[in-house]
Amino acid sequence: MLSIIGNAIIIAGVIIIFIGIIGIHKYKNFYTRILLAAKIDTVGAITILIGIVIKNGFSFFSLKTLLLLIIIVILEPLTSHIIARTAYLSGYKIEEQNLSDEKDT
C-alpha cells in the first residue's frame, strides 16, 4: 500500500514539473521565468523525494533522502534569488514589449 502511495506522489511531482516547464515557455520575461523555475525545482523535488521516502519506508536511505530534502528546500530558492539579484544589479531590464504581452494574456 505504501508503494502505491509513494508512486502516486512521485507521479504528482513529475506532473508538477511538466506543467511548470510549459509555464516557463509561456512567459517571455526573465524574472518571471526565474521565479517559475525556482518554484518548479523546489516543489517538484519536494514531492518526488517525499514519494521516495514513503515508498521505501523508514530506513537509513530515507534519512539521507530527508537530509537532501532539507538541503534542497534551503538552497534552491537561495540560488534563484542570487541569480535574479545579480541580473538586476548588473542592469538587466525588463523590455516594455514583454510587459505589454504579459498584460494581454
Side-chain angles (χ1 to χ4, degrees), residues 20-77:
I21 290 170
I22 293 171
I24 286 177
H25 289 292
K26 179 183 176 196
Y27 294 105
K28 294 174 178 55
N29 183 358
F30 169 76
Y31 295 106
T32 308
R33 284 184 169 185
I34 195 73
L35 176 68
L36 282 172
K39 300 298 178 195
I40 293 166
D41 286 346
T42 305
V43 174
I46 288 170
T47 54
I48 290 173
L49 289 175
I50 288 174
I52 290 171
V53 168
I54 290 173
K55 185 176 178 179
N56 289 328
F58 189 71
S59 65
F60 186 67
F61 174 76
S62 298
L63 187 63
K64 291 190 289 186
T65 306
L66 289 174
L67 181 64
L68 180 64
L69 180 73
I70 292 169
I71 291 170
I72 286 173
V73 167
I74 293 171
L75 291 181
E76 283 186 357

Side-chain angles (χ1 to χ4, degrees), residues 30-31 81-93:
F30 169 76
Y31 295 106
H81 172 76
I82 290 170
I83 292 169
R85 182 167 168 81
T86 303
Y88 177 75
L89 292 177
S90 67
Y92 189 81
K93 301 290 181 196

Side-chain angles (χ1 to χ4, degrees), residues 93-104:
K93 301 290 181 196
I94 301 173
E95 297 176 9
E96 294 298 323
Q97 180 183 6
N98 288 345
L99 287 176
S100 64
D101 288 343
E102 290 178 2
K103 288 180 184 175
D104 293 339

